[in-house]
Amino acid sequence: MEKQIFSIIMQTSIGKRYGTMTVEWKEESISGFLTILEHTEAFHGCVDESGNCQIEGKIISLTRTIPYVATGKINSTMIQLILKWEKNVFALSGVPDIENGGTNL
């Protein structure tokens, strides 16, 4: 099982939002926690041998809970996702968070 902590940036319509994403993946399963907007929420999904993944989770903002589906690519050195919910589409990218336990492989 691989595990990685990423420092992430989510591009939103009102600017960049920063956080962390703790990810564990084994074979075709992926799970972890997304910390953004001062909340930490679990996610889960699937990943193939090339790192293509799809995850589902939720983000809690000041005014509501937002369920999302994200697709993209992950490996031990980066994560790139497109998050979709309702009519919104946001890009999320990240690199290993060395200061908080991520590894620079």
Side-chain angles (χ1 to χ4, degrees):
M1 176 177 291
E2 292 194 51
K3 180 177 181 180
Q4 185 63 280
I5 300 171
F6 295 95
S7 291
I8 55 113
I9 300 172
M10 185 169 68
Q11 304 284 343
T12 73
S13 56
I14 58 173
K16 295 177 182 177
R17 300 294 179 248
Y18 299 89
T20 61
M21 196 166 187
T22 302
V23 183
E24 292 186 29
W25 62 99
K26 181 179 180 182
E27 298 173 7
E28 296 179 2
S29 178
I30 189 169
S31 62
F33 296 92
L34 173 62
T35 301
I36 200 158
L37 302 175
E38 299 182 22
H39 290 277
T40 300
E41 296 297 324
F43 65 84
H44 66 279
C46 57
V47 62
D48 69 16
E49 65 279 348
S50 298
N52 300 304
C53 63
Q54 179 173 328
I55 64 172
E56 296 180 24
K58 63 183 175 180
I59 295 173
I60 298 179
S61 75
L62 291 174
T63 58
R64 63 186 178 146
T65 299
I66 305 160
Y68 66 85
V69 174
T71 56
K73 195 115 173 144
I74 184 170
N75 62 41
S76 59
T77 62
M78 67 87 193
I79 188 166
Q80 293 180 327
L81 299 172
I82 300 295
L83 281 75
K84 297 179 183 180
W85 67 84
E86 296 173 358
K87 296 178 184 177
N88 298 301
V89 177
F90 297 138
L92 182 148
S93 61
V95 295
D97 185 343
I98 306 305
E99 292 180 9
N100 290 310
T103 56
N104 194 3
L105 303 176

